[in-house]
Amino acid sequence: MSYLPLDTAEAELIIPELIMLVGLIAIILIPNFGDATFRIPLSRIKVPILIGGNRFKLTSNPKLPNQVSLLIFSAAFFFGLIQTSYGNVGDTLEVTAFSRIFTLIFTAALILATIATTHRIPARTNLKVPTDNDSETITTKKIDALIDNRRQVDFHIILIMVGLGMSLMSMATHLFMLFVCIELASLSSYILVAFHKETKVGGEAGMKYFIVGSVASAVGIYGMSLLYLWSGDLSLDALSSKWMESETIDPIAGIAVGLMLVAFGFKVGAAPFHLAAPDAYSGASSPVAGLLATASKAMGFVALMRILITVTMPDSGEAFWFSTIAIISIVTMTWGNLAALTSTNPKRILAYSSVAHAGYMLAGLAAIGSGLASEEAMKLVLTAIIFHLVVLVVFKFGAFLVLSLLETEGRSHQLEDLHGLARREPLIAGSMFLFMLSLAGVPPLSGFLSKFLMINGIVNISAGTGASDVSSVMDWLISVEPVFWLAFAIVLNSALSMFYYLRIGLVMFFEEPENTKPMKDAFSLRIAIVLCALLTVIIGIGPLSDSLLQMVNDAVDSFISN
Amino acid sequence: MGETKNEYRLLLPLLPFLVIVPYLALQTDSHSTDFAWLIVVAPFIMFPIILIIGQVFNKNETWKNTWKEGGILGLAALSVSLSTTIWIVYDYLIGHADITNSGVDSWLEWISFDVLQSDYTIAQNRILGVGVWIDSLTLMLLFVATFLCFLICWFAIGYMTTDPINEDSNHRFFAEFVLFSLGMFGMVLADNFLWLFIFWEVMGLCSYLLIGFYYWKDSAAAAAKKAFLTTRVGDVFLMIGLLILYDIYGSLDFAVVFDDPSTGIGGVAVESGELFWALMMLFIGAVGKSAQFPLHVWLPDAMEGPTPVSALIHAATMVNAGLYLVARLMPFVDIHHNGVSGLEDFGLIVAWIGGITAFMAASIAFVQNDIKKVLAYSTMSQLAYIFTGLGSALYFLNTGDHHAGYFVLGASLFHLFNHAMAKGMLFMASGSVIHEVHHAHDHLHHGSDHSDHDFDPQDMRNMGGIASKMPVTSTAMMFGSMSIIGIPLIGGFWSKEGIIAETWLAYFHGETMMLGPAILILATAGMTGFYMSRMWFMTFAGQPKSDVVDHIHEATPWIKEPLLILTFITAIGGFALATLGIIDFLSNESHHLSLHGHSLQEQILHELEHAFLPEDNKLRMVGWTTILLSFVIGPIMAARIHGGKLKEGQKANIFVGWLVNLSDKFGTQDVTWLAESQLAEALDKRLYFDDLYEGIIARTVIPFAELSAWFDKNIIDGIIKQIESNSVLGSVQIRKVTTGNARDYILMATVGALCIFALLVGVNN
């Protein structure tokens, strides 16, 4: 069937993406269904054309887009989960276990984001835009109402575009395709951040995020063009074999990779490109911030891993970017943790914490780049990185879900908003505390397991490098390879991070709340929070962690074999 | 309180839980051991549920009356544990599952990691997992633990919810209790020493919480602290012991360690010296947990503050943990099965500690007037018996006489079973007595100050003649005391006889060092006869010693059932199990209970003959001396001092009536001179151990603690504060970079990009 761009076998491989594509069209159409008719000219026969006219009761329901997109993401997640066949789709996409697990990460984060918006944006009609004549209180009220109701459909259309872009980028084998997909996801996420354009912070955050992001993208695309200049082909295979062939590193290629590091460094939130991130997180609504902290971060790491490991990692010896990434990682984690210490905005704290977590994962990448890693050790560290990205969806997004719940009745940009949460909502506060502990890496939670795997991998790589005949610890520390210090930095930073994670627990349990009434009855959101809390525990210890680690292992195998 | 209507309908929620295990069991090809995890998981799930629901609904009427503040939920979880245990025990006893190759069943692997060895190379993958280890020891202790925990929970529903002073916080008790049960079950089932230790500590934590349940009472808070700190001393040694073991074997899995205890990691032969210290350290841990000399001081205090219920779980279940640990160590010394020779000193030390504790605790029990404290000291003393038995088992196994060794091991573990059942029942009965005395006192002095400090409902000097008022309780207590004393044919007799005889046997075989423990426990047998009879006579026989007694009624139904069940087991369980060869089963000599090919009659005769007329003349002497001391001399002395007829017109039931009347027949004896002697005072002061420890601690630990407090406050905290303030300073500084201006961000990004280039170029040139 040549008129289709895909044959059946290929279509089967990308069912989740196709679902999102069809869903994108559906969600544009569905809210417009109405009783419009078309009269056939010269006759009296009216043919119902469905689009336009008075909308049906069902299609005019403002909650419908939310339900549709929840259905779409759940279907995409489900089909991603049961998929077992892998292969090429066209010239630029390849479905592997690696891409599949990232599809799952993205769709899971999007499912959570959709659930979180269900109750954040209650359905209301007859809303008016504030005018200059309104008093201040009326203006605020109107703005609040607008935030609650506006552009329901738009939000979900953009959300699906984010999903589509991210999911396709994880399977791109061509740098150009990769970049286009990243831009699809990024531009959509800029809009999401600025979605509350009526408020000052929302518009400002979106604008800032857009400006810095587009500068980073421009730099990245310039790097890509240099790479094209050097190689003449941007497919990852071609780039990688060209890189292997060249004896020394061509300056053009080196500069190109450096420029792309800037672009992707912005995506993962590495210092010093992370500065717009805290502003964006605190300006955006919590579900969007959660999306940025989990899915967007995972996307950046896919890109980084493609460039740093698939393309430029030499067969043996140190990669030329080793010390750069190592220094960036240490600066990133320290910066993130330090900045979070005195922050009083929970969203900013979480933003900085996700900067710190990016630092931990970069440390893993750097350890691989040291060239000391055996194949086993390299797999271990890659497993740790991907596993960390997976579990972040559970507890980082879980924390943002709690903030979403707070947002349903007001604001969540002050630590005071969390005061006494344990008294008002014991279950929610308990879950939040669990998320904080997991972020800090307390056993037996999943955050501990991922951090443990990471440190274990890095120590494993550095093992055997220290002198064995030294007499004191100091001598050994001096003689050991610098990779070891990455693990050391992670441990020190974890200790530092405890300070602000536990502070959130402290204010929740020991401060007096302003009012003691329980919060809004956002049922599905509560279910999602408790589910995340449960997963935080059972992915950390138990049979589920085994099967998940097995999935991640498969992903790593398929990634390395490329 | 007193009048409690029938509340069995409240047990209906239990039904679905009771169906789970039979449903699983009836599935074809389902193995009981595959579901052993249920035993631990059921309380693990229920613990947070009770706590959370209790916290949210603690004023709710339905929660209080229908769910008994979580008691029903706890009972449901424990019923799952108990039924699973019964299934497993049943499978093994009838021989479905074979004990010889059951061993490990690992059901969870948590973390696998590489170990960096001292030569900086990587050792093989180590796996930190949780598994299930099932042998006869596990089975017996598991049954004791699940069964008693279930009954105690049942008892607690009746006891706790009628106690007015813990208004609205009983869910805390039930949650802690369920967690405690989890710790106990997990410890027994664990297939490696690490998880054993972890669950051990879970129990330690819960015991702290339960003893200090009435945390606003100073005595309870102090007792909790004392128990926690004393056992902690043992736990530190236990941990050291585990580290030494790990050093020797490179693993803490039972499967690895017990596979061949004589070869350590890398095939090196194990040195007995190093292993000796490992075992000693583990033993000290066990001593702490089982309240043996010199770490015994916490147990009596644990009775002081809180409820009989927590006394119960400590005395009847938790203290068995130490015994379990020592019994687990048998394979190390069993030279018949690859054990390490040259460890007989370890056995001697265990036996000596046991002997000393047995004698000391029994003599302190002579003068105690608090009914629960008598029981507490009796617990220490009986546990010490078991330690002595285990000590001789260790000795025999290490010197090659494995028949005697296995026999005394089996007897000791059998005594553990008998003692746990009898003591569980005695504590329940004493709880029932205290409860009713307290209630009667409140009733009598209605309207007066509730917290009447002059009246102690636990003091036996306020009781006397209760036999007619509480027929069930007095019967139960009589059988319990008989079992503890070792009255022939009842409960503990079958096991105690074995321990004493075999300890003497070790002496007869030429080990002169065994003479000490042997004499001590023989004397203790007579003393047990005295103090247990004294307790019963003081409480139930003779004239009432206060006006309260007239207003006492029998206990509520929730309290009665467990008593009856345990009375039955105590009365005939010992004989029945002995006949079925429990001793051989417990020592792994046989793999299930059976009559060994004899008819029932023959087997009973064989057991009786074995118990009363052993072939060895010397042993026959020992046996009859024991019986004489414990059965005749001790109780008669007690009867002369404390016995007597009931008040005119009062009648006890036929089970105990004869005993009351009999106690009157031996005349009376005035022992005031003895009671006022310095010896009695010394015993009353618990032989000054607490004072001694207090003195030592005040002179050594406290000054050191003050020093370290100073160090902590000024040096450590100073450093931390410095780090903190510097971090905060750094944080404030670094956040200044986040100006909020997009142009600054781009500037920073540019600077960052330039740095990247500088690094890339700098490193590669």
Side-chain angles (χ1 to χ4, degrees):
Chain A
M1 294 299 203
S2 57
Y3 57 84
L4 275 178
L6 295 167
D7 63 31
T8 348
E10 284 178 331
E12 266 175 20
L13 290 174
I14 52 168
I15 287 176
E17 288 73 23
L18 290 179
I19 288 173
M20 280 192 266
L21 188 64
V22 172
L24 184 61
I25 298 166
I27 207 166
I28 295 173
L29 289 180
I30 288 174
N32 291 313
F33 283 150
D35 58 2
T37 52
F38 172 72
R39 189 174 63 83
I40 297 175
L42 307 176
S43 73
R44 287 187 173 184
I45 305 164
K46 286 184 175 174
V47 183
I49 55 167
L50 292 178
I51 304 286
N54 289 327
R55 292 195 290 165
F56 301 124
K57 197 172 177 206
L58 179 73
T59 51
S60 64
N61 182 357
K63 283 203 169 177
L64 184 71
N66 185 288
Q67 288 153 2
V68 172
S69 71
L70 185 60
L71 187 75
I72 291 165
F73 290 131
S74 307
F77 181 80
F78 175 73
F79 282 104
L81 198 64
I82 60 170
Q83 182 155 36
T84 49
S85 56
Y86 305 113
N88 282 312
V89 181
D91 296 332
T92 52
L93 295 177
E94 188 189 10
V95 181
T96 59
F98 176 77
S99 76
R100 206 32 88 203
I101 201 158
F102 276 95
T103 302
L104 292 180
I105 293 177
F106 301 141
T107 43
L110 286 162
I111 289 174
L112 291 178
T114 317
I115 293 175
T117 46
T118 314
H119 301 278
R120 232 202 72 72
I121 310 182
R124 263 191 264 155
T125 49
N126 309 326
L127 296 169
K128 294 191 180 67
V129 181
T131 60
D132 290 344
N133 301 333
D134 291 333
S135 70
E136 200 178 326
T137 46
I138 291 180
T139 310
T140 343
K141 245 186 194 164
K142 278 185 172 175
I143 287 176
D144 281 352
L146 274 173
I147 290 171
D148 282 345
N149 193 45
R150 301 190 62 252
R151 307 186 303 275
Q152 301 275 350
V153 191
D154 306 12
F155 189 86
H156 293 285
I157 291 171
I158 298 167
L159 216 52
I160 295 175
M161 288 192 343
V162 169
L164 199 57
M166 286 179 171
S167 192
L168 284 174
M169 92 53 82
S170 69
M171 50 181 79
T173 56
H174 195 278
L175 214 48
F176 191 71
M177 182 69 186
L178 187 99
F179 218 86
V180 169
C181 295
I182 288 185
E183 284 311 297
L184 173 58
S186 300
L187 287 170
S188 311
S189 63
Y190 302 146
I191 303 172
L192 288 181
V193 170
F195 202 72
H196 297 147
K197 62 180 184 187
E198 292 77 15
T199 61
K200 191 160 166 280
V201 278
E204 190 189 320
M207 202 59 210
K208 261 190 268 185
Y209 198 51
F210 171 64
I211 291 173
V212 181
S214 50
V215 167
S217 293
V219 171
I221 216 150
Y222 180 54
M224 248 173 66
S225 62
L226 285 182
L227 213 54
Y228 186 71
L229 198 63
W230 169 70
S231 148
D233 188 350
L234 281 180
S235 78
L236 292 174
D237 286 342
L239 284 173
S240 149
S241 49
K242 172 101 180 175
W243 195 276
M244 293 292 164
E245 282 163 18
S246 45
E247 292 286 310
T248 54
I249 294 158
D250 194 307
I252 291 184
I255 290 173
V257 172
L259 289 172
M260 292 176 79
L261 276 187
V262 174
F264 300 144
F266 169 76
K267 280 276 161 283
V268 301
F273 315 112
H274 69 282
L275 288 164
D279 286 355
Y281 284 44
S282 56
S285 63
S286 292
V288 174
L291 207 58
L292 292 183
T294 55
S296 201
K297 185 147 298 200
M299 181 174 79
F301 266 98
V302 174
L304 270 183
M305 281 156 79
R306 292 284 197 211
I307 287 294
L308 295 183
I309 299 187
T310 313
V311 176
T312 64
M313 183 71 202
D315 271 341
S316 61
E318 191 179 302
F320 80 108
W321 43 262
F322 162 62
S323 46
T324 312
I325 297 287
I327 290 171
I328 288 181
S329 84
I330 291 180
V331 171
T332 304
M333 63 178 95
T334 317
W335 194 326
N337 281 327
L338 268 183
L341 274 187
T342 51
S343 222
T344 52
N345 178 345
K347 276 194 208 164
R348 284 191 99 88
I349 291 180
L350 286 176
Y352 283 124
S353 122
S354 83
V355 169
H357 278 263
Y360 302 151
M361 289 182 276
L362 282 174
L365 280 182
I368 294 174
S370 72
L372 297 165
S374 62
E375 173 129 355
E376 276 304 304
M378 180 171 158
K379 273 187 186 173
L380 194 60
V381 174
L382 279 175
T383 307
I385 294 173
I386 299 180
F387 188 75
H388 194 75
L389 289 170
V390 175
V391 293
L392 268 185
V393 176
V394 176
F395 51 79
K396 178 62 97 4
F397 216 121
F400 277 111
L401 287 180
V402 174
L403 294 186
S404 302
L405 185 61
L406 283 173
E407 273 179 4
T408 57
E409 64 162 16
R411 296 172 300 181
S412 66
H413 64 262
Q414 280 177 323
L415 216 47
E416 282 78 36
D417 299 328
L418 282 166
H419 276 191
L421 190 64
R423 201 147 314 164
R424 302 174 63 191
E425 296 279 348
L427 200 58
I428 301 299
S431 306
M432 184 67 169
F433 190 54
L434 213 57
F435 298 142
M436 289 301 122
L437 290 182
S438 189
L439 280 170
V442 172
L445 303 173
S446 45
F448 164 73
L449 190 52
S450 62
K451 205 175 266 183
F452 175 82
L453 288 170
M454 185 81 73
I455 293 173
N456 187 12
I458 295 175
V459 170
N460 200 326
I461 286 173
S462 64
T465 59
S468 56
D469 52 352
V470 290
S471 50
S472 75
V473 177
M474 275 318 290
D475 292 345
W476 185 80
L477 286 180
I478 290 165
S479 70
V480 77
E481 279 285 336
V483 181
F484 178 77
W485 293 101
L486 288 171
F488 199 69
I490 294 181
V491 172
L492 279 187
N493 265 290
S494 300
L496 189 60
S497 67
M498 273 304 209
F499 188 77
Y500 59 87
Y501 288 131
L502 290 183
R503 195 156 55 115
I504 289 185
L506 187 80
V507 298
M508 283 193 306
F509 285 93
F510 296 108
E511 293 284 348
E512 287 298 323
E514 277 170 27
N515 64 356
T516 49
K517 273 183 299 186
M519 275 184 295
K520 217 162 146 185
D521 181 32
F523 184 67
S524 60
L525 185 50
R526 276 161 200 267
I527 294 281
I529 291 172
V530 172
L531 202 68
C532 280
L534 277 179
L535 281 174
T536 304
V537 178
I538 59 175
I539 292 181
I541 179 169
L544 198 60
S545 68
D546 274 356
S547 43
L548 189 58
L549 271 175
Q550 192 52 49
M551 265 176 82
V552 175
N553 264 328
D554 293 345
V556 169
D557 283 341
S558 74
F559 176 70
I560 286 182
S561 64
N562 271 359
Chain B
M1 289 191 345
E3 305 303 316
T4 320
K5 58 182 182 299
N6 193 331
E7 291 184 316
Y8 294 128
R9 68 191 160 76
L10 298 185
L11 291 177
L12 283 177
L14 245 64
L15 282 177
F17 291 91
L18 285 172
V19 175
I20 296 176
V21 172
Y23 172 75
L24 291 174
L26 288 175
Q27 303 287 309
T28 46
D29 63 86
S30 65
H31 296 290
S32 53
T33 36
D34 294 343
F35 293 96
W37 51 271
L38 263 179
I39 299 173
V40 182
V41 169
F44 181 73
I45 294 173
M46 209 49 100
F47 158 66
I49 293 180
I50 297 177
L51 203 58
I52 290 168
I53 299 185
Q55 208 66 42
V56 177
F57 294 106
N58 68 353
K59 295 273 191 288
N60 186 300
E61 282 301 312
T62 320
W63 173 248
K64 266 190 193 169
N65 297 329
T66 310
W67 296 96
K68 292 286 180 189
E69 300 194 52
I72 301 286
L73 288 176
L75 202 61
L78 291 171
S79 72
V80 173
S81 297
L82 177 62
S83 47
T84 314
T85 307
I86 290 176
W87 180 23
I88 294 174
V89 169
Y90 173 79
D91 255 12
Y92 278 92
L93 289 190
I94 63 167
H96 271 180
D98 194 359
I99 214 136
T100 44
N101 53 20
S102 63
V104 213
D105 178 17
S106 187
W107 55 275
L108 184 69
E109 282 177 8
W110 180 25
I111 288 175
S112 64
F113 57 97
D114 299 328
V115 177
L116 190 62
Q117 287 173 331
S118 48
D119 57 351
Y120 305 106
T121 55
I122 302 222
Q124 80 275 32
N125 228 3
R126 295 284 160 72
I127 293 171
L128 221 57
V130 195
V132 175
W133 177 274
I134 291 177
D135 58 11
S136 56
L137 177 60
T138 313
L139 286 180
M140 196 273 297
L141 223 83
L142 198 57
F143 178 73
V144 168
T146 48
F147 186 62
L148 281 179
C149 282
F150 179 79
L151 289 184
I152 294 167
C153 189
W154 182 303
F155 175 80
I157 290 174
Y159 189 90
M160 295 300 290
T161 49
T162 53
D163 211 346
I165 57 171
N166 32 290
E167 199 75 39
D168 294 337
S169 62
N170 277 329
H171 63 277
R172 202 156 55 78
F173 172 83
F174 286 112
E176 284 161 9
F177 179 72
V178 167
L179 186 62
F180 173 90
S181 315
L182 176 152
M184 186 79 194
F185 305 159
M187 189 212 71
V188 176
L189 277 173
D191 76 333
N192 62 51
F193 281 107
L194 182 67
W195 277 96
L196 185 147
F197 181 65
I198 290 173
F199 284 118
W200 178 284
E201 292 295 318
V202 169
M203 258 199 295
L205 167 72
C206 293
S207 109
Y208 171 74
L209 294 173
L210 286 168
I211 296 174
F213 184 66
Y214 300 136
Y215 53 85
W216 58 88
K217 276 190 191 171
D218 285 344
S219 63
K225 237 185 281 174
K226 191 169 177 179
F228 193 67
L229 291 177
T230 317
T231 44
R232 204 74 5 206
V233 173
D235 291 352
V236 170
F237 285 101
L238 174 58
M239 205 155 85
I240 297 172
L242 293 184
L243 291 176
I244 303 178
L245 271 191
Y246 189 81
D247 186 46
I248 299 176
Y249 296 104
S251 168
L252 289 175
D253 286 354
F254 290 167
V256 179
V257 172
F258 292 154
D259 182 43
D260 184 4
S262 60
T263 15
I265 186 168
V268 190
V270 174
E271 276 180 52
S272 67
E274 196 181 1
L275 187 58
F276 173 79
W277 283 110
L279 297 183
M280 272 309 289
M281 296 293 145
L282 295 178
F283 175 60
I284 295 175
V287 161
K289 204 65 153 186
S290 290
Q292 297 295 294
F293 171 82
L295 296 176
H296 62 280
V297 288
W298 66 269
L299 186 60
D301 281 25
M303 310 290 134
E304 197 154 305
T307 65
V309 183
S310 54
L312 188 57
I313 56 180
H314 284 99
T317 49
M318 191 179 88
V319 287
N320 294 335
L323 298 168
Y324 169 77
L325 182 62
V326 174
R328 264 274 163 264
L329 304 180
M330 288 298 158
F332 287 116
V333 301
D334 185 357
I335 56 173
H336 195 58
H337 289 117
N338 282 334
V340 180
S341 61
L343 289 169
E344 62 267 23
D345 285 352
F346 177 58
L348 292 179
I349 291 171
V350 175
W352 266 98
I353 293 286
I356 293 171
T357 316
F359 186 79
M360 186 192 73
S363 48
I364 297 178
F366 270 22
V367 297
Q368 296 299 323
N369 290 319
D370 184 322
I371 185 164
K372 277 198 300 182
K373 286 215 175 136
V374 175
L375 290 175
Y377 280 106
S378 142
T379 301
M380 270 159 65
S381 176
Q382 296 304 310
L383 292 177
Y385 262 108
I386 304 168
F387 268 114
T388 313
L390 291 175
S392 1
L394 289 164
Y395 171 80
F396 279 125
L397 289 178
N398 207 239
T399 50
D401 190 351
H402 58 274
H403 283 302
Y406 287 141
F407 179 76
V408 67
L409 173 63
S412 306
L413 296 176
F414 188 31
H415 196 58
L416 193 162
F417 173 85
N418 287 330
H419 170 254
M421 293 296 160
K423 200 43 76 61
M425 187 248 278
L426 283 170
F427 267 110
M428 274 183 204
S430 77
S432 160
V433 170
I434 295 164
H435 190 246
E436 296 310 318
V437 170
H438 190 69
H439 179 220
H441 175 73
D442 281 356
H443 179 73
L444 193 62
H445 302 273
H446 194 67
S448 67
D449 188 9
H450 185 76
S451 52
D452 184 353
H453 292 297
D454 297 335
F455 182 81
D456 181 2
Q458 311 190 1
D459 196 331
M460 294 189 291
R461 284 169 297 190
N462 291 327
M463 303 176 189
I466 303 182
S468 59
K469 308 282 185 189
M470 304 182 79
V472 177
T473 309
S474 61
T475 315
M477 266 207 143
M478 185 187 76
F479 279 112
S481 307
M482 282 177 164
S483 173
I484 298 289
I485 294 170
I487 303 287
L489 303 185
I490 291 185
F493 168 75
W494 298 96
S495 41
K496 195 187 256 190
E497 230 14 27
I499 293 175
I500 296 176
E502 295 301 306
T503 312
W504 278 94
L505 190 68
Y507 167 66
F508 295 146
H509 283 193
E511 180 57 59
T512 43
M513 286 300 286
M514 249 347 190
L515 181 61
I519 292 177
L520 284 173
I521 60 171
L522 186 59
T524 308
M527 291 157 77
T528 312
F530 177 78
Y531 71 75
M532 288 308 288
S533 313
R534 169 179 174 272
M535 181 195 77
W536 197 89
F537 289 138
M538 269 181 97
T539 311
F540 293 110
Q543 301 289 323
K545 295 182 203 85
S546 75
D547 51 355
V548 169
V549 173
D550 287 336
H551 300 269
I552 289 177
H553 307 283
E554 186 65 66
T556 61
W558 285 98
I559 295 177
K560 224 187 272 177
E561 284 86 21
L563 266 185
L564 288 173
I565 295 172
L566 283 174
T567 307
F568 184 73
I569 292 184
T570 309
I572 64 165
F575 195 6
L577 286 173
T579 312
L580 288 171
I582 182 95
I583 290 181
D584 285 345
F585 175 73
L586 287 177
S587 58
N588 277 336
E589 284 280 84
S590 73
H591 299 135
H592 39 83
L593 292 186
S594 73
L595 291 172
H596 300 293
H598 303 286
S599 73
L600 183 63
Q601 213 171 358
E602 280 170 3
Q603 184 66 18
I604 290 175
L605 280 178
H606 172 76
E607 278 300 320
L608 287 174
E609 188 187 326
H610 190 68
F612 292 106
L613 300 168
E615 285 155 22
D616 190 332
N617 255 333
K618 289 178 189 162
L619 287 187
R620 201 179 295 179
M621 277 282 292
V622 171
W624 282 102
T625 317
T626 315
I627 293 173
L628 185 73
L629 279 171
S630 59
F631 186 28
V632 183
I633 298 182
I636 288 181
M637 298 247 296
R640 278 174 70 85
I641 302 171
H642 295 289
K645 269 206 179 65
L646 294 178
K647 204 166 117 180
E648 207 62 38
Q650 299 284 351
K651 221 171 122 50
N653 68 14
I654 51 163
F655 286 112
V656 294
W658 63 273
L659 186 58
V660 174
N661 291 332
L662 190 67
S663 71
D664 194 35
K665 299 279 192 289
F666 299 108
T668 52
Q669 186 166 14
D670 189 25
V671 285
T672 328
W673 62 272
L674 194 61
E676 282 167 2
S677 69
Q678 282 197 337
L679 178 66
E681 199 195 322
L683 288 175
D684 194 37
K685 291 265 161 63
R686 306 167 178 188
L687 294 173
Y688 305 108
F689 269 112
D690 293 50
D691 300 332
L692 178 71
Y693 288 170
E694 226 161 78
I696 292 175
I697 287 168
R699 281 190 185 78
T700 56
V701 179
I702 301 283
F704 181 70
E706 272 161 8
L707 184 71
S708 28
W710 177 87
F711 186 80
D712 188 58
K713 212 172 284 168
N714 292 295
I715 311 289
I716 305 278
D717 280 10
I719 292 172
I720 299 279
K721 285 245 171 64
Q722 208 61 48
I723 290 176
E724 186 203 316
S725 63
N726 282 340
S727 304
V728 168
L729 213 66
S731 176
V732 171
Q733 289 297 329
I734 211 166
R735 284 186 54 209
K736 281 186 185 159
V737 178
T738 318
T739 51
N741 286 330
R743 62 164 184 274
D744 292 341
Y745 297 170
I746 294 173
L747 180 67
M748 276 304 291
T750 316
V751 171
L754 288 176
C755 288
I756 288 181
F757 287 127
L759 273 169
L760 286 178
V761 174
V763 169
N764 291 295
N765 288 343

